[in-house]
């Protein structure tokens, strides 16, 4: 009996970095091999885990239902997700949910090229769950930590010694001409948004 492949780790990433990612690759010629999105901070992602505010849902299908959802992260950047007949549970959630609502989403990155040659990235959701503010806040903290760890590894790699450079960091350096400090700033701003919320709650309390 063939072994069942383990599910890929769902990476935590803010929308600004996710939307900057455009390069996808496979690690084998097998037709069923997983497709990875290369994050600009030097990590591969076959699945992602995000939590944010669902601000809008819309059926954009022509012949059958095809739901688009917009999820905004703490920095105001947007994840776009799409679910149709092959993602019935996620499509049902997008049909029934009333924005605004906090949601957690696990899904797969999907890229597509526009008519003018730009590559856009979206999420094909495997699951969508309504969550509370505390869950959203924990995701912000954990995603900021993971992002800063990736940036630290990216910057610590010694470019002069090929053996010392993680292969995904090397790929990111080759494929993207983007300052990773942008993503550190996004992580810090996300954490600061939590502090601002705490301050507002203190001021509002009697």
């Amino acid at each position: 009996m063939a072994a069942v492949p383990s599910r890929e780790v769902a990476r935590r990433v803010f929308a600004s970095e996710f939307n900057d990612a455009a390069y996808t690759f496979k690690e084998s010629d097998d037709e069923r091999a997983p497709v990875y999105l290369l994050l600009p901070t030097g990590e591969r992602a076959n699945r992602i885990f995000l939590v944010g505010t669902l601000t809008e849902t819309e059926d954009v299908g022509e012949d059958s239902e095809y739901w688009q959802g917009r999820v905004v992260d703490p920095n105001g950047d947007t994840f776009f997700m799409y679910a149709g007949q092959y993602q019935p549970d996620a499509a049902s959630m997008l049909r029934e949910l009333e924005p605004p609502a906090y949601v957690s989403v696990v899904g797969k990155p999907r890229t597509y090229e526009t008519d003018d040659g730009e590559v856009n990235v979206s999420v094909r959701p495997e699951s969508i769950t309504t969550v509370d503010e505390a869950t959203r806040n924990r995701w912000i903290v954990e995603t900021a930590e993971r992002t800063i760890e990736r940036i630290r590894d990216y910057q610590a790699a010694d470019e002069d010694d090929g053996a010392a450079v993680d292969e995904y960091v090397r790929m990111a350096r080759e494929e993207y001409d983007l300052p990773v400090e942008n993503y550190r700033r996004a992580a810090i701003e996300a954490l600061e948004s939590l502090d601002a919320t705490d301050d507002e709650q203190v001021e509002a309390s009697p």
Side-chain angles (χ1 to χ4, degrees), residues 55-172:
T55 61
E56 186 179 324
T57 60
E58 182 182 1
D59 180 5
V60 295
E62 295 180 359
D63 299 325
S64 60
E65 283 191 358
Y66 191 62
W67 285 88
Q68 178 195 74
R70 295 175 181 231
V71 178
V72 175
D73 77 4
N75 296 325
D77 298 311
T78 303
F79 292 96
F80 288 90
M81 58 181 174
Y82 295 89
Q85 60 180 324
Y86 299 112
Q87 301 83 38
D89 293 341
S92 177
M93 286 294 287
L94 290 176
R95 185 189 313 112
E96 294 169 11
L97 280 171
E98 288 288 338
Y102 288 132
V103 294
S104 70
V105 180
V106 175
K108 289 182 176 290
R110 285 291 177 265
T111 57
Y112 60 95
E113 190 169 332
T114 63
D115 293 338
D116 57 7
E118 286 204 7
V119 176
N120 289 343
V121 62
S122 62
V123 181
R124 189 186 73 191
E126 297 173 349
S127 66
I128 303 173
T129 308
T130 55
V131 297
D132 58 17
E133 185 178 17
T135 301
R136 192 280 306 255
N137 292 350
R138 278 197 304 274
W139 177 85
I140 291 173
V141 172
E142 291 169 358
T143 303
E145 289 173 349
R146 296 290 180 276
T147 301
I148 290 169
E149 284 172 7
R150 292 197 300 270
I151 292 168
R152 191 179 298 131
D153 292 343
Y154 183 102
Q155 294 178 328
D158 180 5
E159 292 185 74
D160 295 325
D161 180 1
V165 181
D166 177 272
E167 65 175 303
Y168 304 118
V169 168
R170 187 184 304 113
M171 287 171 67

Side-chain angles (χ1 to χ4, degrees), residues 25-70:
F25 65 98
K26 288 185 173 186
E27 298 199 317
S28 84
D29 295 330
D30 186 339
E31 195 174 300
R32 297 171 63 189
V35 176
Y36 294 101
L37 180 73
L38 181 66
L39 300 178
T41 50
E43 181 64 89
R44 65 178 188 172
N46 173 256
R47 300 164 78 232
I48 68 162
F49 170 54
L50 65 100
V51 181
T53 306
L54 180 70
T55 61
E56 186 179 324
T57 60
E58 182 182 1
D59 180 5
V60 295
E62 295 180 359
D63 299 325
S64 60
E65 283 191 358
Y66 191 62
W67 285 88
Q68 178 195 74
R70 295 175 181 231

